[in-house]
Amino acid sequence: MDRHQNCGMAVLAGGAAAALRLLAAVAVVPALLAGPAAAGAPPFSCGPSSPSRALPFCNAKLPAAQRAADLVSRMTPAEKVSQLGDISPGVPRLGVPGYKWWNEALHGVAISGKGIHLDQGAVRSATSFPQVLLTAAAFNDNLWFRIGQATGREARALYNIGQAEGLAMWSPNVNIFRDPRWGRGQETPGEDPAVASRYAAAFVRGLQGSASNSRSAPPSVLLTSACCKHATAYDLEDWKGVSRYSFKATVTAQDLADTFNPPFQSCVVEGRASCLMCAYTSVNGVPNCANADLLTKTFRNSWGLDGYVAADCDAVAIMRNSQFYRPTAEDTVAATLKAGLDIDCGPYIQQYATAAIQKGKLTQQDVDKALKNLFTTRMRLGHFDGDPKAGVYGNLGAAQICTPEHKNLALEAALDGIVLLKNGAGVLPLKRGAVASAAVIGHNANDVLALLGNYWGPPCAPTTPLQGIQGFVKNVMFLAGCNTAACNAAATPQAAVLASSSDEVILFMGLSQQQECEGKDRTSLLLPGNQQSLITAVANAAKRPVILVLLTGGPVDITFAQSNPKIGAILWAGYPGQAGGLAIAKVLFGEKNPSGKLPVTWYPEEFTKIPMTDMRMRAAAGYPGRTYRFYNGKTIYKFGHGLSYSKFSHRLVTGRKNPVHNTSLLAAGQTATTEDNTGYHVDHIGDEVCDQLKFPAVVKVKNHGPMDGKHTALMFLRWPNATDGRPARQLVGFQSQHIKAGEKAHLRFQVSPCEHFSRVRRDGRKVIDKGSHFLNVGKHEVEISFGA
């Protein structure tokens, strides 16, 4: 998202060297990981010595919005404008401290922003959870909630000890992983809007401090402020000369309504996020950050955003200098603030807002509106309630960072996310104690950075895959094989010799941030450089079928490995976080029965012929469509694919066959019926009737063994046909449970026809078709008749 984010480790002002120094500190100075005494005092206002302690904005008994309005009314025009950038200076005469809005918490507290300081002070690390795409593969929103909660607690703890200058967390990224080449797909919950929506709500609730993962009001004092990014239809970095800064996306109302916007709506409506971030993208001729229909009509008026709208970093300047949306800087600033933007990541609005007012392009009321939204958020964070150490989160300090509970959660997330793609002839699991020697080969085997993906913080107690294997096998020999993930230099002969002399061979291959990252999209889905030839040579030389572990964000075309019997097993481990090496080893040696399922489609290399700039989701003549919902071409692995060491069977039972028989729906009568009498308009049915239409469904699962294990059931809906833009199938929901070998379990789903049976028409309206709908789990399907 940001002006200092790009491939490699230039996320820091000091670049790669600074990043590696931080990781070295983690590895070499373990005493720092314990988080000793407090580093300093947190910034706050309205304490006993504050010049404003008697003013209304310091009265914690008043509503946050009223307090914010009082504070804004006391500021001078110059002071007001100074607050419109991510680095907001203090207002000493009112006792208002400076504030840094840009902080990151994608999969743990990160160092990519301006306000978190893990390069100085007593605490130098934070719990690093798996990169989001791998966590999404667990299909467990309670897990997502707990990760958000742990991350929020660590951020608040850093604030309390003086190592953070803000608690606005510009996370999560809930864009749809529309194209497998997208460099930032790794940051997202995947390609499905329903999964992304549930992830958004769960993570936001945790990050902001909600007591449970349920739809309820957020706490009166936010733990942190979550910001869902990047709205909307943003999923391109720099592809064949087309840059995200100037890309003009053409997106249909249908695709906006049923693919791109739902996760952001869920952030606000379900998760009660206190911020949304608008993207660089220009959609249908209007930059997102100047689109009043999006920022005001949709975010605030339709969804009910209670918070602020942030621009992606330098988006306002880019709107003028790269997109040429308005003729002058003042016109550009005025267009964004009037549209509903509240803060700029960058100084552009701070630099030009005063001139825009003087020239009559912007009013003081426009500025005040933005500031009230900003300061209301700061009020809700408790920044104007006196010393935060005396507040509701005052007990959080260094001891609450990298706790055993958080470390175990990082391990749990990696264990539950890892996906077993192939297991020919039962190669896995390996038996601990039965492997006399193992060759560990691959550039990703002993690289801490390969665990982290992007937007990371220095991890506490990281374990590389090599270290993980060494905990299970006494005699382990290691060879990187490739110089880097690019693998433009490979030690193939040496790797083959090593493989031929070992009982088991485990390859750790894949990608890195040099191939996929913010600012860089891939042009190929194949493994880079000499990786394929190295893997094949090793497999040919080995005594028995080898095991291939892929550390990647986006999917790769591994047809060669899929079809090669000498490559016995394949795992996808994403970028698995600080506990990734241990998690992989536990899966390989059967201490964990794999249960992860792919949250994205894995496409063949031929898909790269499709331009990334074609935003259409649905298939058309000569165009295969995108994601499992609409794609009609070949796949390497399908969405939801994931093997287990056990065999599971399913049977689906519903509690109601014909939901249309509900008299309330019939009473809605002609007002809900579509113009052609083939269905019902969801917005005309109404919330009350939609609630009455919900019905239960139970998936009866049996674990036929041989191992105990967690099983995730994915329930889909399909229509009798996929015409008129209907998806081929659509995810209804997911449930998981640990089931002992030989035992059964009942996984309970709540089916909402208004949500799950509806489809979006070309005009963007949701309708439920009359007639048959089919619910299916695995190979079992049940027909539901709706109003036929």
Side-chain angles (χ1 to χ4, degrees):
M1 58 175 279
D2 311 311
R3 54 185 176 273
H4 298 304
Q5 267 283 16
N6 51 44
C7 287
M9 294 315 306
V11 295
L12 301 175
L20 294 172
R21 282 196 298 273
L22 272 173
L23 287 177
V26 171
V28 177
V29 193
L32 292 173
L33 305 182
F44 62 90
S45 189
C46 301
S49 60
S50 170
S52 306
R53 63 187 181 278
L55 296 177
F57 73 79
C58 284
N59 184 351
K61 295 180 180 179
L62 296 176
Q66 183 179 338
R67 298 172 68 192
D70 178 74
L71 173 56
V72 171
S73 72
R74 298 175 187 277
M75 298 171 71
T76 67
E79 289 168 344
K80 291 177 179 180
V81 167
S82 74
Q83 300 297 304
L84 296 174
D86 66 284
I87 299 178
S88 300
V91 185
R93 69 181 185 85
L94 293 174
V96 177
Y99 198 72
K100 293 185 178 177
W101 290 88
W102 177 14
N103 308 286
E104 302 285 354
L106 184 68
H107 53 108
V109 177
I111 53 176
S112 311
K114 295 294 185 69
I116 299 290
H117 304 293
L118 287 170
D119 57 342
Q120 56 190 358
V123 175
R124 300 296 183 97
S125 62
T127 308
S128 183
F129 298 97
Q131 180 61 294
V132 175
L133 194 65
L134 185 71
T135 304
F139 284 87
N140 184 341
D141 49 5
N142 180 261
L143 173 68
W144 304 334
F145 169 76
R146 288 184 288 135
I147 291 174
Q149 192 176 54
T151 301
R153 288 174 63 84
E154 294 197 1
R156 175 63 78 159
L158 285 168
Y159 187 83
N160 284 350
I161 64 173
Q163 285 186 233
E165 298 178 80
L167 283 170
M169 299 291 137
W170 287 354
S171 303
N173 180 343
V174 294
N175 290 114
I176 296 299
F177 197 169
R178 175 189 63 94
D179 190 291
R181 294 162 286 186
W182 185 31
R184 301 188 70 178
Q186 58 181 292
E187 301 175 29
T188 75
E191 70 181 34
D192 181 71
V195 175
S197 295
R198 280 181 63 173
Y199 180 90
F203 188 84
V204 165
R205 288 168 183 152
L207 194 61
Q208 294 195 154
S210 292
S212 66
N213 183 28
S214 60
R215 186 177 182 182
S216 59
S220 56
V221 178
L222 297 176
L223 180 63
T224 70
S225 167
C227 189
C228 294
K229 60 188 184 184
H230 315 79
T232 184
Y234 164 59
D235 48 24
L236 178 147
E237 298 302 302
D238 190 352
W239 177 79
K240 294 189 175 181
V242 179
S243 166
R244 60 180 177 164
Y245 300 131
S246 55
F247 176 47
K248 296 180 179 180
T250 299
V251 188
T252 66
Q254 190 175 34
D255 288 342
L256 283 170
D258 80 348
T259 297
F260 297 112
N261 285 349
F264 297 101
Q265 182 174 3
S266 181
C267 272
V268 175
V269 176
E270 303 293 331
R272 308 294 289 274
S274 48
C275 169
L276 289 176
M277 176 180 286
C278 51
Y280 298 115
T281 321
S282 176
V283 176
N284 300 330
V286 183
N288 279 313
C289 291
N291 189 338
D293 282 344
L294 182 69
L295 308 189
T296 297
K297 183 178 177 181
T298 301
F299 290 176
R300 292 202 183 279
N301 299 346
S302 178
W303 298 347
L305 174 66
D306 181 11
Y308 69 101
V309 178
D312 205 341
C313 287
D314 291 331
V316 181
I318 287 165
M319 200 181 302
R320 167 69 186 92
N321 299 326
S322 296
Q323 298 174 342
F324 309 109
Y325 182 63
R326 288 290 183 265
T328 69
E330 293 83 6
D331 287 309
T332 304
V333 166
T336 59
L337 290 176
K338 285 181 177 294
L341 185 69
D342 296 313
I343 194 167
D344 184 14
C345 179
Y348 201 76
I349 291 181
Q350 291 165 312
Q351 293 169 352
Y352 293 104
T354 298
I357 294 171
Q358 291 170 346
K359 294 179 180 180
K361 300 176 184 294
L362 188 68
T363 68
Q364 194 63 62
Q365 288 71 29
D366 295 324
V367 173
D368 288 357
K369 179 183 66 175
L371 292 183
K372 289 173 186 176
N373 291 329
L374 295 172
F375 279 105
T376 296
T377 304
R378 289 180 64 177
M379 296 287 174
R380 294 175 66 196
L381 285 163
H383 294 325
F384 291 83
D385 296 345
D387 190 346
K389 292 181 180 178
V392 64
Y393 304 117
N395 63 318
L396 299 178
Q400 281 68 50
I401 299 171
C402 289
T403 63
E405 179 186 4
H406 291 178
K407 292 177 183 178
N408 288 336
L409 182 59
L411 175 60
E412 177 188 346
L415 285 169
D416 285 358
I418 291 170
V419 181
L420 179 61
L421 298 174
K422 174 184 176 180
N423 193 20
V427 169
L428 293 177
L430 302 174
K431 292 183 179 179
R432 187 169 191 167
V435 179
S437 64
V440 172
I441 299 171
H443 57 280
N444 279 336
N446 199 35
D447 181 359
V448 172
L449 287 176
L451 302 173
L452 305 181
N454 63 1
Y455 283 97
W456 51 265
C460 40
T463 304
T464 67
L466 174 62
Q467 292 168 331
I469 301 301
Q470 287 171 334
F472 285 78
V473 181
K474 290 183 178 180
N475 183 12
V476 177
M477 295 159 285
F478 167 62
L479 180 71
C482 293
N483 56 336
T484 65
C487 203
N488 46 29
T492 303
Q494 298 94 316
V497 170
L498 179 60
S500 67
S501 62
S502 303
D503 281 355
E504 296 287 350
V505 178
I506 309 169
L507 293 122
F508 290 91
M509 311 301 286
L511 307 176
S512 76
Q513 300 308 296
Q514 296 298 324
Q515 286 78 43
E516 53 175 356
C517 61
E518 180 163 4
K520 186 172 187 178
D521 299 313
R522 288 183 288 159
T523 55
S524 172
L525 298 179
L526 301 176
L527 288 172
N530 296 304
Q531 283 196 46
Q532 179 173 327
S533 59
L534 172 70
I535 294 167
T536 302
V538 166
N540 287 337
K543 297 177 182 178
R544 51 177 60 94
V546 302
I547 300 161
L548 173 61
V549 181
L550 296 167
L551 272 64
T552 75
V556 286
D557 181 346
I558 50 166
T559 303
F560 78 96
Q562 189 182 46
S563 60
N564 186 345
K566 294 185 177 181
I567 300 173
I570 307 173
L571 282 83
W572 175 69
Y575 296 122
Q578 66 180 45
L582 177 58
I584 292 168
K586 282 178 171 288
V587 170
L588 292 176
F589 284 87
E591 289 195 6
K592 162 67 177 178
N593 195 343
S595 59
K597 295 183 180 297
L598 291 178
V600 290
T601 301
W602 281 36
Y603 300 85
E605 173 69 2
E606 65 189 46
F607 186 85
T608 60
K609 296 175 183 177
I610 305 299
M612 277 192 75
T613 50
D614 193 327
M615 300 292 289
R616 290 176 296 168
M617 297 302 300
R618 288 157 169 82
Y623 181 73
R626 295 175 181 274
T627 77
Y628 81 94
R629 296 164 68 224
F630 305 108
Y631 177 64
N632 60 17
K634 282 196 319 184
T635 60
I636 306 302
Y637 291 109
K638 295 181 181 296
F639 174 91
H641 175 76
L643 305 177
S644 169
Y645 296 149
S646 294
K647 180 182 178 182
F648 293 89
S649 61
H650 309 89
R651 188 165 185 272
L652 175 60
V653 179
T654 62
R656 182 184 297 164
K657 281 286 185 181
N658 293 293
V660 74
H661 290 163
N662 186 297
T663 56
S664 299
L665 177 60
L666 297 177
Q670 296 304 312
T671 59
T673 305
T674 56
E675 301 83 349
D676 57 6
N677 199 34
T678 61
Y680 301 92
H681 288 293
V682 171
D683 54 353
H684 287 175
I685 294 174
D687 293 343
E688 182 178 350
V689 175
C690 282
D691 283 341
Q692 293 171 359
L693 284 172
K694 294 176 181 177
F695 64 94
V698 175
V699 178
K700 298 180 178 180
V701 184
K702 182 174 181 179
N703 182 352
H704 298 273
M707 291 178 61
D708 300 349
K710 179 177 285 188
H711 179 68
T712 299
L714 305 182
M715 181 183 289
F716 293 92
L717 177 85
R718 74 170 180 86
W719 286 262
N721 59 70
T723 58
D724 293 330
R726 293 176 181 84
R729 58 181 181 143
Q730 181 165 286
L731 188 68
V732 169
F734 45 87
Q735 296 288 347
S736 61
Q737 186 170 325
H738 189 272
I739 308 172
K740 292 183 178 180
E743 294 191 358
K744 299 177 182 179
H746 289 181
L747 305 183
R748 303 184 185 280
F749 292 74
Q750 179 86 323
V751 181
S752 169
C754 288
E755 179 183 356
H756 301 132
F757 286 19
S758 61
R759 65 179 179 88
V760 175
R761 303 191 312 187
R762 287 190 177 91
D763 61 3
R765 295 187 67 184
K766 292 176 72 173
V767 297
I768 303 174
D769 293 331
K770 293 181 179 180
S772 295
H773 299 71
F774 299 89
L775 290 175
N776 67 70
V777 176
K779 296 180 180 179
H780 194 246
E781 187 169 80
V782 172
E783 181 177 359
I784 303 289
S785 178
F786 201 100

